[in-house]
Structure formats: C-alpha cells, structure tokens
Amino acid sequence: MIRTLRLGRRSVMKARTQAANQVHAVVVTAPQELRDRLRKLPLAELVATAARFRPGCVDSLEAAARLALKSLAVRYRQLAQGIAALDQLIDRLAHQAAPDLMQIKGVGVDTAAALLVAADDNPPRLRSEASFAHMCGVAPIPASSGKTNRNRLVPAGAGRGGGQTDACGPRSRICGRVPAWPSEIWASSWPWS
C-alpha cells in the first residue's frame, strides 16, 4: 500500500514541478508590464497572485497570459493539496507499520516508507544487515586492480530492474545521523585526520 501511495506522490510531484515551470515560462513570455510585475515574485506569491487574476474577455495578449497563469496557478494549488493528502496517508501508514522505526533520529516519513517498501517486497532476502545493504546498493564491493585496494558501491537496482528508491532510505538515514555522532568518532573516521 505504501509503495502505491509513494508512486502516486512521485507522479503528483512531477506534475506540480511541471506546472511551476510552465508558470515561469508564461511569465517570461508575458507582455512587458505584466512580466515586470511578476518576475521577481517567489513561487508561492506568484501562484497566489496568479490564482486571484480575473482575466475577463480574452481580447489581448495580456488577458491571455493572465488566463493561462490563473489556470496554471489553480492546477499548482490542486496538485499541492494532493501531495499533502498523500503525505498524511503515508505518514499514518508508516507510523502504524513501524512506530519504533519512526522514533529513530534521522528517520522521517520518506526514509521509513522507503525502508518499509524495500523490506516488504523481499522478506526472505533480508536475513542480515549485509543482505539488506547489498539489496539497497550501499554495501562495498571490491574493485581492486593490481596493487590498488579499493571498494565501490553498486547503484541500487543495478541488474535487478530496480531503481534508486531503495537506496535513498539508508543513505539519507546515514547522512541524517552523522551530525549526532560524537566529535571524536567524527574526527577519527576520516582518513586525513
């Protein structure tokens, strides 16, 4: 269920981004007076301003631009409301499925949902932390040649038909926890320290 909601959320996010880009494109091509008034507004103010437009009879280029901006602004707002509704559902489901996971510092709704989706589809493969790290693409793989001794990470889903979504959870969780580490661990973990 969480996988389906995350898929829908990702789709709505892309549509909202497209609407925002289209709003900016219409502003760039609008008549000079309208363009000067709207160009420097941040996106939230631009959408609010455009949603209040009353273009009336479309008999000029400015009226057409106002109508297009109003239409796009209304669409942007509807998509933002859709994202908020999906976020609430995902949040509720993640808290129900794994309340202990949600209490860990650095694990928010997106990270928990990504981890739950990854674990739900492959429960027999997750026998240990190492198997989960390999599935997500965050386990080091030897990539040495000759006297050079190094490791690399395999992108999540490489050769398995998956995408980067499984890897986002563990990587963002690790990055979120780093500032909470004691300074002596932080300093000693870097090779140049």
Side-chain angles (χ1 to χ4, degrees):
M1 196 169 1
I2 292 175
R3 176 186 294 278
T4 306
L5 293 174
R6 290 184 76 221
L7 176 68
R9 182 183 187 277
R10 195 166 34 248
S11 174
V12 175
M13 291 272 294
K14 286 181 181 179
R16 185 183 71 171
T17 301
Q18 285 180 337
N21 291 342
Q22 290 167 348
V23 165
H24 286 298
V26 172
V27 168
V28 167
T29 60
Q32 185 69 36
E33 183 181 318
L34 184 62
R35 182 173 57 236
D36 290 342
R37 207 175 99 212
L38 300 176
R39 183 184 305 177
K40 295 182 181 174
L41 294 178
L43 182 61
E45 288 181 40
L46 178 59
V47 167
T49 302
R52 290 191 304 265
F53 281 162
R54 296 178 183 263
C57 181
V58 182
D59 57 357
S60 67
L61 187 56
E62 183 170 341
R66 285 174 173 266
L67 181 63
L69 284 168
K70 180 177 178 74
S71 173
L72 290 168
V74 168
R75 176 161 171 70
Y76 182 91
R77 283 183 165 178
Q78 290 170 342
L79 292 168
Q81 290 171 353
I83 292 168
L86 287 169
D87 283 343
Q88 287 178 349
L89 285 171
I90 293 169
D91 184 81
R92 185 173 50 88
L93 290 172
H95 274 89
Q96 286 174 356
D100 293 338
L101 180 62
M102 299 296 293
Q103 299 302 318
I104 298 173
K105 180 185 179 345
V107 177
V109 176
D110 290 332
T111 304
L115 291 169
L116 289 169
V117 167
D120 188 34
D121 285 348
N122 301 300
R125 291 178 59 192
L126 301 178
R127 293 181 301 274
S128 66
E129 285 185 33
S131 64
F132 183 70
H134 277 281
M135 184 187 77
C136 293
V138 293
I141 306 293
S144 302
S145 62
K147 294 182 181 180
T148 305
N149 187 14
R150 64 182 180 87
N151 293 315
R152 65 180 173 85
L153 295 179
V154 175
R160 296 187 303 273
Q164 288 288 352
T165 55
D166 294 339
C168 294
R171 286 182 181 150
S172 62
R173 178 170 172 229
I174 290 167
C175 292
R177 292 181 66 118
V178 166
W181 290 348
S183 60
E184 60 275 2
I185 294 174
W186 178 255
S188 66
S189 63
W190 295 103
W192 55 81
S193 299

